[in-house]
Amino acid sequence: MQVSTLRRPRATPWLGALLALALAAPLMAQTPPAKTPEAKSVEIENQKLFKKSARAAMAALSFYGVPDPDESDDPEEALRLQHERQRVIDIGYQLAAHARFSDFPFSFFFIDMPVPNAFALPGGHIFVTRGMLELGLDDDMLACLLAHEIAHVVYEHGTRMRRRATLLNVLSQAALIGVMIGADSEPENPRDPYGIERSGDRKGSLVQGTAAAGIVFTELLLRKYSRGFEDQADAEGQRLAAAAGFDPDGARALWQLMTERIPTANEYGYWRTHPFSDQRLRAAEVRAKELKIREPGPVFSYRRETQLALLEAAADLDEDEALNRNRDGRDDRSDRTDGQSPGGEASQPVQPWEEGLRPFLELSALDAWPTGADAERIRISQLHRRRDRLMEEPEMARNYGALIRAYGDQIALIRALEPRSEALATLQAERDELTAQVKATLPKALEIWRDGIFQTPFLETFLSNHPDSELTPDVALALGDAYSRSRLEADAVEQYLKAMKAGADSEAGGRALLGLRNLAPHLDQLAALQMLSDDIDDEEVGRLASERLGEQASRFEALENGSDYLERYPKGAHREAVNARIEALAQNLYGEVVLYQNLGDHVKALERIQKILEHAPMTPAAEALREKAVLDS
């Protein structure tokens, strides 16, 4: 992998004859000069840093996730999320193309974190949170925000801060080794920071997997830059924004907006990582008047170069570096513990960043340049991986419906980008074959339904594979009953509502409504109550759900209950009360962590640590755990 030099793009027919002629001569005429030993050494170090940064980016995506349009029941919200993600990518590359930087290929990510923030890893991986974009940033504000983070990469601020560089080193192995959360006393052996050599009575608990990576990443995220680094990134960010055709006054407007909407007293969100002062705002205002907004040039050549660099990095990985999703401690999404099937409608496809570094780099390459033969190959390989995993499932547990919809999404996207693509015929033929396979399963599915002997996974896949069946109300009712028995209240409500909508005048629809009337006064899960309050047409059930939600929003006992509500309804009317309750519950758990660690019961301490880090990662309790973590490499 030569991440230190971005390659020129190979000419392709759709770029046009003029571009092909312009690029062909330099490509044929130039011979790469021999590299000096110093240049080779720099390249090797860049490769190492890029891989560490990429693994850190994978940890961030696994810990926080990405806003998923497919999980939204609101079509307008789904479109908004798609638009925001694409806006981050497009504006990011518009800026990066003018950054005069080629040490690493840039990648841009939109992560599902409610706190307004933005962050850059030193290998060119740049993140913007959902909470930041929900502030209502226009293109100029977003451009100045991204340009500021690009500047941190260009000026190597991440590696010039010793603590931040150390955390990046730890993060590259945290999921494999773990992070020690110490008790109040100091570790007995500072040379053994991960507790591997310590005996069973050690004063601490070893956290592993995604939660361990989350500890380090959040700590990395919250590390402040120095005032000098911030000033340098401010100036370069505004210059870069103007060079790319954006108004550099967007920096002032952004900080003004954040000052009005974000409490700065508690060093919240972006202010936590980028300390703010009125002086910075005034300096941004002065710089904006001195900068000229330039006409932006085309960026497709740069984006194609970036795609090639990322694909080259993926191709150069050794086999042992192409980690599968289980080797580094991440959860296998097919191994569920909540009574739902890996093939069921509620299960999620394994994401590329959960499969390993190579699929992750390919996904980044697809974002960098979404057209052309390489992009189509990546899309097809992603679909084939999903198809191969599906075929490993028992026949009646295969969720053909979700995969067929994924094929349809990719076909629509390619048709919009490249209507004459040869990949369209391939994907359409494969989708038709899958459609034929799912139709062939219908007689056996009907036979199983008539026999009345089936499990929850069968009901899930039936609804996904045969959504237009006349049995939909009955199957949805049966699935709602199954979820209700398993105390999966939100899922039960969703299926009862589906039964009502699919068969409003049917017996199943009537029974589903009766089930909701019985459930509403006794539901504990906040998300289920919000769903009922929002979606039910029955006035009595809606009133009962709304009243119950108001009561439970500040009284619920399970941390995951509040976390699930905020994940599903980040703008819910009760989010403030739920947030306050989450902080209180997390603080109580933290007290129990200290108690059990001092008593030497590290199993119980670890259970509570995991709950806090998974369901309340941005609370003061989680911050206290990070402060107690032994992170030295």
Side-chain angles (χ1 to χ4, degrees), residues 157-206:
H157 292 162
T159 53
R160 290 166 64 188
M161 292 178 64
R162 183 181 178 277
R163 177 64 171 171
R164 194 181 289 269
T166 299
L167 287 167
L168 185 66
N169 290 336
V170 175
L171 184 53
S172 68
Q173 58 183 334
L176 287 170
I177 299 176
V179 174
M180 175 62 65
I181 300 290
D184 290 337
S185 59
E186 291 294 323
E188 296 176 2
N189 182 2
R191 291 174 297 178
D192 178 30
Y194 300 109
I196 294 172
E197 299 176 3
R198 281 175 243 179
S199 64
D201 62 350
R202 62 183 184 266
K203 295 285 187 179
S205 301
L206 187 66

Side-chain angles (χ1 to χ4, degrees), residues 157-432:
H157 292 162
T159 53
R160 290 166 64 188
M161 292 178 64
R162 183 181 178 277
R163 177 64 171 171
R164 194 181 289 269
T166 299
L167 287 167
L168 185 66
N169 290 336
V170 175
L171 184 53
S172 68
Q173 58 183 334
L176 287 170
I177 299 176
V179 174
M180 175 62 65
I181 300 290
D184 290 337
S185 59
E186 291 294 323
E188 296 176 2
N189 182 2
R191 291 174 297 178
D192 178 30
Y194 300 109
I196 294 172
E197 299 176 3
R198 281 175 243 179
S199 64
D201 62 350
R202 62 183 184 266
K203 295 285 187 179
S205 301
L206 187 66
V207 181
Q208 294 176 298
T210 303
I215 294 173
V216 188
F217 182 82
T218 308
E219 184 71 2
L220 188 68
L221 181 75
L222 295 177
R223 286 285 155 183
K224 297 177 182 178
Y225 287 109
S226 69
R227 173 65 183 271
F229 286 173
E230 285 300 299
D231 290 345
Q232 194 174 32
D234 286 349
E236 175 62 14
Q238 285 186 276
R239 184 205 67 77
L240 183 55
F246 297 96
D247 188 346
D249 192 50
R252 180 203 58 78
L254 169 66
W255 291 334
Q256 187 64 50
L257 175 69
M258 294 179 67
T259 301
E260 294 170 355
R261 297 198 183 182
I262 296 178
T264 59
N266 296 324
E267 292 189 314
Y268 186 71
Y270 192 72
W271 298 146
R272 183 78 183 261
T273 53
H274 300 74
F276 178 76
S277 69
D278 291 340
Q279 218 173 6
R280 284 182 68 189
L281 191 149
R282 289 194 296 270
E285 187 174 11
V286 171
R287 275 192 297 265
K289 295 176 181 177
E290 297 172 348
L291 290 167
K292 180 180 179 180
I293 304 175
R294 300 188 179 276
E295 188 69 27
V299 299
F300 51 78
S301 179
Y302 174 82
R303 293 186 69 163
R304 173 62 169 151
E305 289 175 6
T306 303
Q307 183 198 65
L308 290 173
L310 289 165
L311 290 177
E312 185 178 10
D316 285 351
L317 288 173
D318 295 331
E319 273 310 310
D320 61 345
E321 290 181 308
L323 302 174
N324 63 44
R325 63 184 181 274
N326 291 322
R327 276 189 55 192
D328 62 3
R330 275 183 277 274
D331 295 331
D332 184 343
R333 294 295 179 90
S334 66
D335 187 17
R336 297 181 64 92
T337 59
D338 59 2
Q340 297 182 37
S341 161
E345 185 178 49
S347 64
Q348 298 295 319
V350 177
Q351 301 294 343
W353 60 83
E354 296 174 310
E355 294 183 298
L357 197 51
R358 183 171 294 148
F360 169 71
L361 292 176
E362 290 180 347
L363 175 69
S364 300
L366 187 60
D367 286 339
W369 189 233
T371 63
D374 285 326
E376 291 174 357
R377 176 185 58 78
I378 295 168
R379 287 193 177 93
I380 290 173
S381 67
Q382 288 180 344
L383 289 171
H384 284 179
R385 282 196 295 270
R386 287 187 63 176
R387 184 188 62 186
D388 292 344
R389 286 194 297 270
L390 178 72
M391 293 306 169
E392 293 174 358
E393 299 290 338
E395 182 184 21
M396 299 313 294
R398 294 175 188 165
N399 188 345
Y400 287 99
L403 182 57
I404 290 171
R405 290 191 292 275
Y407 265 86
D409 291 342
Q410 293 302 320
I411 289 170
L413 181 59
I414 293 175
R415 187 177 286 129
L417 294 171
E418 298 183 80
R420 298 181 181 180
S421 169
E422 295 180 359
L424 283 171
T426 300
L427 293 180
Q428 286 169 342
E430 291 179 359
R431 183 179 64 174
D432 290 345

Side-chain angles (χ1 to χ4, degrees), residues 396 438-439 441-442 445 461-470 472:
M396 299 313 294
V438 75
K439 286 182 178 178
T441 67
L442 182 57
T461 53
F462 187 101
L463 290 174
S464 180
N465 293 341
H466 313 289
D468 299 325
S469 169
E470 61 182 13
T472 293

